Amino acid sequence: MRTSPAPAFSHNEVIRLYGLFMVAWSVVDSTVQAALMKELRLSPTQAQIVTTTMQFRQRISVLCSLLWLHEEENRAAIRLLQRLEKNARRNMLVHGHIIVGVPGQLTFVKSSATEDAGFKAKKESFTEEALLRHIYALTESTNRLQRLLGVTDTDIQQLADAALLAAGR
């Protein structure tokens, strides 16, 4: 029995999934902000003021440092934060050049130049299936992080409300 080949995915679908990645990453970032708010016992507005100018790496660093103060109860959260930062491929996906050439695939190229290493670049390609798996893994990790740190959707919404209030001024 002959089966027909699977249809090639269009660029539109993989680009749509790229948008879903951006939303999923925003939830990761908001979860870290809310965790900092709770750890430091800040109001949502104060948390926005403190975290707004921090890059993600600094937010993770500060949060992990605070969590280390009670290492025993926070060990799983610290490991998950470290894994998230390492495996999320955020810089590649957010800051890399996007190449749309192969149908159903996006290729990202992230360049860097430093005085000690010179010019370098990394590339990574995602098919629809690979990007979808990545988004699901990111979402599952974020849900687990929220549970481990006691961050609720309400906490995250309060941060958003504080920003919306400031935007209305």
Side-chain angles (χ1 to χ4, degrees), residues 23-39 51 56 59-60 63 67 80-81 84 138-139 141-153 155-157 159:
V23 171
W25 186 261
S26 178
V27 175
V28 171
D29 197 30
S30 295
T31 299
V32 170
Q33 280 185 287
L36 282 166
M37 175 179 75
K38 292 179 82 124
E39 281 294 314
T51 62
F56 185 74
R59 290 177 189 177
I60 290 283
L63 180 57
L67 294 175
L80 182 55
L81 282 163
L84 254 173
L138 186 59
T139 302
S141 293
T142 305
N143 291 337
R144 183 165 180 248
L145 185 63
Q146 280 187 256
R147 284 190 304 277
L148 288 169
L149 297 176
V151 171
T152 65
D153 290 343
D155 296 326
I156 293 170
Q157 186 60 52
L159 283 168

Side-chain angles (χ1 to χ4, degrees), residues 107-157:
T107 298
F108 299 85
V109 179
K110 176 73 173 94
S111 303
S112 64
T114 62
E115 60 188 50
D116 52 324
F119 178 69
K120 300 186 310 184
K122 295 179 185 178
K123 80 171 189 164
E124 190 161 356
S125 296
F126 286 89
T127 62
E128 178 183 3
E129 296 92 356
L131 193 50
L132 193 56
R133 279 193 309 274
H134 188 61
I135 293 165
Y136 282 147
L138 186 59
T139 302
E140 287 175 17
S141 293
T142 305
N143 291 337
R144 183 165 180 248
L145 185 63
Q146 280 187 256
R147 284 190 304 277
L148 288 169
L149 297 176
V151 171
T152 65
D153 290 343
T154 301
D155 296 326
I156 293 170
Q157 186 60 52

Side-chain angles (χ1 to χ4, degrees), residues 5-98:
F9 295 108
S10 73
H11 283 106
N12 290 342
E13 188 59 22
V14 75
I15 289 169
R16 181 186 69 80
L17 288 172
Y18 177 65
L20 286 176
F21 167 81
M22 297 298 284
V23 171
W25 186 261
S26 178
V27 175
V28 171
D29 197 30
S30 295
T31 299
V32 170
Q33 280 185 287
L36 282 166
M37 175 179 75
K38 292 179 82 124
E39 281 294 314
L40 295 170
R41 295 181 178 93
L42 300 173
S43 72
T45 300
Q46 291 170 324
Q48 286 285 8
I49 291 167
V50 169
T51 62
T52 274
T53 59
M54 296 169 74
Q55 293 181 0
F56 185 74
R57 183 164 286 148
Q58 285 84 23
R59 290 177 189 177
I60 290 283
S61 177
V62 170
L63 180 57
C64 284
S65 295
L66 291 168
L67 294 175
W68 275 110
L69 294 174
H70 305 282
E71 176 189 355
E72 196 67 32
E73 63 194 63
N74 293 314
R75 191 172 292 140
I78 293 167
R79 277 198 305 264
L80 182 55
L81 282 163
Q82 292 168 336
R83 202 172 331 118
L84 254 173
E85 184 181 19
K86 184 179 178 185
N87 296 330
R89 300 184 218 144
R90 176 202 174 269
N91 282 342
M92 175 75 71
L93 292 168
V94 173
H95 299 297
H97 296 283
I98 301 172

